[in-house]
Amino acid sequence: MAAAAAAPPVSCGERRPERVDRGGGGGGEPDPGSRGRAGSLELAAARRRLVAAEGRRRAAAELEGRVLAVHCALRHAELRLAARAEALGRLGAGVAQAQLALAAHTQRLQKGLRRRPGARARPAALLAAARALRSCVPCAAPARRLPASPRSPA
């Protein structure tokens, strides 16, 4: 009776094949333990296949999660890069405006010194600092000199 209890129950009208003759014994009664052992071997093989398939499914789900995480990380990095590029563009535009303003102020200072030779001279450190500020950005193109403005008749 123990062999019959180990076999899976038959459900929904399934019929188990009776006994497959393997050419062994005397053709009378079926071996009472062979049916139970074959069923349990099939059940064990099916369980092994199920466990292997479940392992593959878990591995695929883990890989899918990792791919999604990498995708999100790349998207965030792309957004940060775009924000930094925008900030650098604004900074570059500000530097260009500052260079133009500095060049114009330097020209005005130099003209003022030429026009009033008797007046009190500006400190040399101020002019040196203005010229040094113009060259503080090494990667920027050299500032073009603005054309001289026409002198007023005053």
Side-chain angles (χ1 to χ4, degrees):
M1 269 331 242
V10 177
S11 64
C12 298
E14 291 181 17
R15 292 186 55 164
R16 291 213 161 264
E18 288 301 318
R19 179 177 158 264
V20 178
D21 189 15
R22 307 222 187 252
E29 288 287 321
D31 184 13
S34 68
R35 196 169 122 194
R37 277 185 297 218
S40 65
L41 287 177
E42 289 176 16
L43 184 61
R47 283 184 182 151
R48 281 192 301 272
R49 288 192 304 270
L50 182 64
V51 167
E54 181 64 21
R56 287 191 300 269
R57 189 198 63 78
R58 283 186 187 147
E62 183 180 346
L63 285 176
E64 184 179 358
R66 287 182 183 180
V67 165
L68 185 61
V70 168
H71 174 73
C72 289
L74 287 175
R75 191 172 59 206
H76 288 296
E78 184 180 0
L79 290 173
R80 283 193 312 265
L81 183 64
R84 286 183 183 170
E86 183 180 340
L88 279 175
R90 287 194 308 264
L91 183 64
V95 166
Q97 284 179 348
Q99 283 180 335
L100 288 173
L102 185 61
H105 287 294
T106 303
Q107 270 188 341
R108 264 196 298 154
L109 285 175
Q110 288 173 348
K111 282 182 185 178
L113 286 177
R114 283 189 299 236
R115 287 184 184 168
R116 294 178 276 153
R120 184 173 63 109
R122 301 269 201 286
L126 181 64
L127 289 175
R131 287 187 180 134
L133 280 175
R134 186 172 56 186
S135 64
C136 72
V137 181
C139 62
R144 294 184 300 181
R145 294 205 176 256
L146 296 175
S149 61
R151 291 190 180 196
S152 62

